[in-house]
Amino acid sequence: MATTDAAVATGTAAFDLTGRTALVTGSSQGIGRTLAQGLAEAGATVIVHGRDAAKAAATADGIATGVGRDVRSAVFDVTDPSAVDAGIQALEDEHGALDILVNNAGIQRRAPITEFRDEDWTDLVSTNLSSVFYVSRRVARGMVARGSGKLIQIGSVQSQLARPGIAPYSATKGAIAMLTKGLCADLAPHGIQANAIAPGYFDTELTQALVADERFSEWVRGRTPAGRWGRTRDLVGALVFLASPASDFVNGQTLYVDGGMTAVV
């Protein structure tokens, strides 16, 4: 919702998401689940999204029980533009234009570049990049009509840094940083802010093999000035800031939440 200078919230009120509706893609587990819960705790009406209806509904119910407020779920394929259009239309029919979109859905594939399979490249680009374009494009139409909105992409330290074996993943996450700038260029005149959060190395369900690899974990701790893996709750403060009126003059930026990894050599 648009504000005038006289109505700008200050203090902790600037971070209050009461009355806002938020969709978090890929939020039935991992980082996405924590992000959805954090938005709900800040007062938003949250829509958990995934491809598995039962899993998304169970996650929504679990968050709702924990925060004591209604949490919904939605199921559609973010890599299919027709499915995205139908899925967002159904949400708008029920909730009106969304206030907050968190483009969190993503996958990882690992292999040396000389052995990287075509189908893995296609899956990475489709899930990590094309989906952000499809969902943002559709959600932004309602935001433009209303004159306000928050688009938040989940990037990575690989938006800036590269490592062996994940060149295609790094390419998709680097593109997220530039797509975010492009969204800012197109949508800022309509009162919409587009920003990205770039996590470092985080301990989640999907990274357990890496966490359990003591040699790799030692590298992460040594390479990160904070000296540890990230915890998913470390992302919530940045998310609430970017989703709230507190960030109304922040646009086109990538905020690295990485314990200092990208700040030092």
Side-chain angles (χ1 to χ4, degrees), residues 111-116:
I113 193 66
T114 54
E115 301 170 18
F116 214 92

Side-chain angles (χ1 to χ4, degrees), residues 192-242:
I192 299 165
Q193 292 80 53
N195 293 288
I197 296 172
Y201 283 86
F202 273 69
D203 184 348
T204 72
E205 297 101 315
L206 299 180
T207 60
Q208 284 309 297
L210 294 176
V211 174
D213 182 337
E214 185 49 41
R215 182 177 179 182
F216 189 81
S217 277
E218 184 179 359
W219 175 83
V220 169
R221 293 189 294 267
R223 181 65 181 79
T224 305
R228 64 173 175 86
W229 285 79
R231 307 179 188 103
T232 54
R233 292 294 299 181
D234 291 329
L235 296 168
V236 171
L239 176 66
V240 172
F241 167 63
L242 292 178

